[in-house]
């Protein structure tokens, strides 16, 4: 199975909202509500931000939200803050006891 | 507090072998699935392997199947990744992570760097 497709970059000014897409197929993203989003700052381990498409782990600000339509999932960051500048990765259960990651999106806060 | 601490990375020649370890603490080890994910320098995340908590069943990415083996020692709360026939494109930071709900990886270690080079 191929990697999920994410835009390589996204940007927004402080206080604005930005949405990052994650496109898979009817065998992965479209088939299961098992999409997760991770934030990774340079030199650090990834951090879980969204799981099961829309759910936020404890401690993740409600500025982060997730959604899905068909084979495409999305992460929206509202009220952008400087500390949101990072790489973001989506992942999906692939249906064959495997995980598939997206290529990653570099979010820049202008 | 959940902690995952990887070790065992280093420089290895092409065709060589290496064993990575991940020491887990702060949770009931045998109740959770665990995974290895890697990240080549300057690249994105790539899932490598998983082991289910309840059954101990193991699964691999196509790129490592037949060369890598995931295992665990529940008496020591340790996760391992045995890597054989290493290639240059296996060079990466290797992270162990715990499965949460919905095949999410809710806790990650800090990673260990594996460099395959002559």
């Amino acid at each position: 199975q191929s990697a999920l497709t994410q835009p390589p970059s996204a940007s927004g000014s402080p206080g604005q909202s930005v949405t990052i897409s994650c496109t898979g197929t009817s065998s992965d993203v479209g088939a299961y509500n098992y999409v997760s989003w991770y934030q990774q700052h340079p030199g650090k381990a990834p951090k879980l931000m969204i799981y099961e498409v829309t759910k936020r782990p404890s401690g993740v600000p409600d500025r982060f939200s997730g959604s899905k339509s068909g084979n495409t999932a999305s992460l929206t960051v509202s009220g952008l803050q400087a500390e949101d500048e990072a790489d973001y990765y989506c992942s999906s259960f692939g249906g064959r006891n495997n995980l598939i990651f997206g290529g990653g999106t570099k979010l820049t806060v202008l | 507090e959940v902690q995952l601490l990887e070790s065992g990375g280093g420089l290895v020649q092409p065709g060589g072998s290496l064993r990575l370890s991940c020491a887990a603490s702060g949770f009931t080890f045998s109740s959770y699935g665990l995974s290895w994910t890697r990240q080549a320098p300057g690249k994105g995340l790539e899932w490598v392997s998983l082991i289910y908590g309840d059954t101990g069943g193991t699964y691999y990415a196509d790129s490592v199947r037949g060369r890598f083996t995931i295992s665990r020692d529940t008496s020591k709360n340790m996760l391992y990744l045995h890597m054989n026939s290493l290639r240059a494109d296996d060079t990466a930071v290797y992270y162990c992570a715990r499965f949460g709900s919905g095949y999410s990886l809710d806790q990650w270690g800090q990673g260990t760097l594996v460099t395959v080079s002559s």
Side-chain angles (χ1 to χ4, degrees):
Chain A
Q1 286 170 288
S2 300
L4 307 178
T5 300
Q6 297 181 235
S9 63
S11 63
S13 299
Q16 289 186 332
S17 293
V18 64
T19 296
I20 299 170
S21 62
C22 170
T23 300
T25 71
S26 57
S27 297
D28 39 66
V29 174
Y32 307 96
N33 287 325
Y34 291 153
V35 174
S36 303
W37 289 91
Y38 302 89
Q39 177 191 66
Q40 187 180 35
H41 287 108
K44 301 294 187 181
K47 175 186 176 183
L48 179 65
M49 304 301 284
I50 296 287
Y51 67 99
E52 293 179 1
V53 179
T54 62
K55 299 177 181 178
R56 275 189 315 276
S58 174
V60 172
D62 60 6
R63 303 184 293 102
F64 291 84
S65 63
S67 63
K68 190 184 83 167
S69 177
N71 299 336
T72 298
S74 298
L75 172 72
T76 298
V77 185
S78 305
L80 271 174
Q81 299 183 3
E83 61 261 34
D84 299 334
E85 184 162 298
D87 293 327
Y88 290 84
Y89 294 91
C90 63
S91 76
S92 174
F93 177 60
R96 296 186 296 172
N97 293 297
N98 61 324
L99 280 183
I100 307 171
F101 281 98
T105 298
K106 182 177 181 60
L107 175 59
T108 301
V109 180
L110 301 171
Chain B
E1 179 192 6
V2 173
Q3 287 195 334
L4 297 167
L5 185 63
E6 302 94 335
S7 60
L11 176 63
V12 61
Q13 292 189 337
S17 299
L18 207 58
R19 187 187 79 165
L20 305 183
S21 301
C22 175
S25 61
F27 63 99
T28 305
F29 183 78
S30 58
S31 296
Y32 286 84
L34 295 165
S35 178
W36 288 98
T37 298
R38 66 185 181 183
Q39 187 170 34
K43 303 297 185 182
L45 300 172
E46 179 189 15
W47 171 74
V48 172
S49 181
L50 70 84
I51 184 166
Y52 284 111
D54 49 359
T55 65
T58 59
Y59 297 90
Y60 301 91
D62 290 343
S63 59
V64 306
R65 187 176 295 113
R67 300 188 299 123
F68 291 11
T69 302
I70 190 172
S71 65
R72 64 180 179 175
D73 185 335
T74 55
S75 68
K76 297 180 179 179
N77 287 2
M78 293 292 294
L79 177 72
Y80 303 103
L81 186 67
H82 305 258
M83 304 185 294
N84 295 322
S85 303
L86 283 162
R87 311 185 303 222
D89 62 358
D90 294 317
T91 295
V93 173
Y94 284 73
Y95 294 100
C96 72
R98 186 184 78 169
F99 273 103
S101 296
Y103 287 90
S104 65
L105 297 171
D106 67 351
Q107 299 290 337
W108 295 67
Q110 87 291 343
T112 187
L113 176 62
V114 173
T115 303
V116 184
S117 175
S118 54

